[in-house]
Amino acid sequence: MATDTGSLVAPRETGAPRPREAGRTTRSARAALRPGGRRRTGVAYLFLAPFLVLFVVFVLAPAVFGLWISLTNWSPFRANQSFIGLKNYIDLFTPDSATSGDFWQSMLATGIFTVASVPFLLLVPLLVAVLLNQRIRAGSFFRAVFFAPYVLGVAVIGVIWKYLLDTQSGIVNHVLGMIGLPDNLPWTVDVPWAWVSLVGVTVWWTMGFNTVIILAGLKGISADLYEAAALDAAGAFRQFLSVTLPGLRQVMTFVVTITILASANMFGQSFLLTKGGPGNQTRTAIMYIADQGLSQNNMAAASAMSYVLFVFLAIISIVNFRLQRERAEESVS
């Protein structure tokens, strides 16, 4: 009697994992627990040890110590330090306290500089990176030219531009006078010209770093996407909006975050070019914290200010990452 053997075999579901494939994860987990897996983990931590030691000694330990200082009346001239709780933080939010007014004025100056500089530090490097990404002659030379100022220290930048922007004998005013423009602009001694100088010098100095990062992101965008857009009759501007910007979303998230943090921690440019003036209008939060902690020996209040600034920057960073993630999810859906 003939038997239909095919009917005795259960059909295999295409999505069901094979027994051999299903066991791969388990075998990998077991391999990690074997002596060889532990040895590899130990080697990894051995290579990480120098960084971990430096991180603990120079980042984690000072952060914990600074938090403790902010909760005391710590002073290098006092033998016994007393715990005062949140008094230093409360004083910062009390209008009549000794540190509140100056601190929030410095925070306002920090906000002005950040809002004024970040758009230029994003748009200018983006445009330069797009141009450098084209097939042009001496492309490597121009990349080096744009990145060269970034390798200079802030002290060098400050001295150079302090001389160039001097109101009386600066080269900038001299050149402006030669072409018929006002030659007595107070670049470093009056607002808003002081802000123009600080933003302009910072953009000239640091744009090369963002340019290199964005340029690396452009290299990672597939050329097939541009070819497909060209086949759909998309012009250069449309390709920039539909291909380049979406392809740079993750890179730009990183660039936006580090640029905001760097601008909010600006110190050297203002210290060297304007001395925080005129008055205290360009004195940033870092300048005021350094003055209170190092010059006035008010370390407890300075530590509290540092953590308030840290909280603001942490909130901004988290919001930025959340917004970028939501935009990425919307584009995928």
Side-chain angles (χ1 to χ4, degrees), residues 2-51:
T3 306
D4 186 2
T5 57
S7 62
L8 299 177
V9 181
R12 174 176 295 172
E13 297 181 2
T14 57
R18 297 180 181 179
R20 183 177 300 177
E21 296 175 351
R24 289 180 181 173
T25 305
T26 304
R27 287 197 297 271
S28 300
R30 292 175 181 173
L33 297 177
R34 293 175 183 172
R38 295 193 184 97
R39 189 178 301 112
R40 288 192 295 270
T41 303
V43 171
Y45 279 109
L46 181 63
F47 279 100
L48 287 173
F51 168 77

Side-chain angles (χ1 to χ4, degrees), residues 86-325:
L86 299 177
K87 184 178 184 304
N88 291 320
Y89 294 93
I90 295 174
D91 287 343
L92 294 178
F93 294 92
T94 303
D96 297 332
S97 66
T99 56
S100 177
D102 290 336
F103 173 69
W104 291 111
Q105 182 183 16
S106 67
M107 289 288 284
L108 176 62
T110 301
I112 293 174
F113 177 79
T114 302
V115 172
S117 63
V118 168
F120 292 101
L121 287 170
L122 296 177
L123 295 177
V124 175
L126 177 60
L127 296 177
V128 173
V130 170
L131 294 176
L132 292 177
N133 194 44
Q134 308 300 319
R135 296 180 179 179
I136 59 176
R137 293 182 179 181
S140 300
F141 170 76
F142 287 108
R143 292 175 195 146
V145 168
F146 282 109
F147 188 76
Y150 186 75
V151 303
L152 300 177
V154 65
V156 177
I157 298 299
V159 171
I160 292 174
W161 282 99
K162 181 72 173 178
Y163 173 72
L164 294 177
L165 296 173
D166 186 84
T167 304
Q168 302 298 328
S169 59
I171 296 177
V172 174
N173 276 343
H174 179 69
V175 172
L176 292 177
M178 292 176 60
I179 60 178
L181 296 176
D183 59 353
N184 59 347
L185 296 179
W187 291 108
T188 60
V189 295
D190 197 8
V191 290
W193 299 108
W195 288 120
V196 174
S197 300
L198 292 173
V199 172
V201 170
T202 303
V203 172
W204 175 83
W205 177 36
T206 62
M207 61 173 278
F209 180 75
N210 288 353
T211 300
V212 170
I213 296 178
I214 296 173
L215 184 60
L218 291 173
K219 298 296 184 182
I221 301 176
S222 176
D224 296 337
L225 298 176
Y226 290 101
E227 294 178 1
L231 292 175
D232 290 337
F237 184 70
R238 185 61 183 175
Q239 291 181 22
F240 177 78
L241 294 178
S242 301
V243 179
T244 303
L245 290 183
L248 290 175
R249 179 173 284 110
Q250 293 183 349
V251 174
M252 292 304 295
T253 301
F254 172 74
V255 172
V256 169
T257 302
I258 64 172
T259 302
I260 292 176
L261 296 179
S263 297
N265 285 279
M266 191 270 284
F267 171 80
Q269 302 94 297
S270 183
F271 181 79
L272 294 170
L273 289 177
T274 66
K275 303 294 184 182
N280 293 322
Q281 295 189 59
T282 61
R283 183 178 63 179
T284 61
I286 298 296
M287 287 186 63
Y288 182 64
I289 292 172
D291 176 70
Q292 287 294 305
L294 302 178
S295 300
Q296 307 299 326
N297 294 311
N298 193 7
M299 292 295 295
S303 298
M305 297 174 198
S306 300
Y307 277 94
V308 171
L309 178 62
F310 165 76
V311 170
F312 273 94
L313 297 182
I315 293 174
I316 293 174
S317 300
I318 293 173
V319 170
N320 178 49
F321 276 109
R322 290 291 298 270
L323 292 175
Q324 295 296 335
R325 187 176 65 180

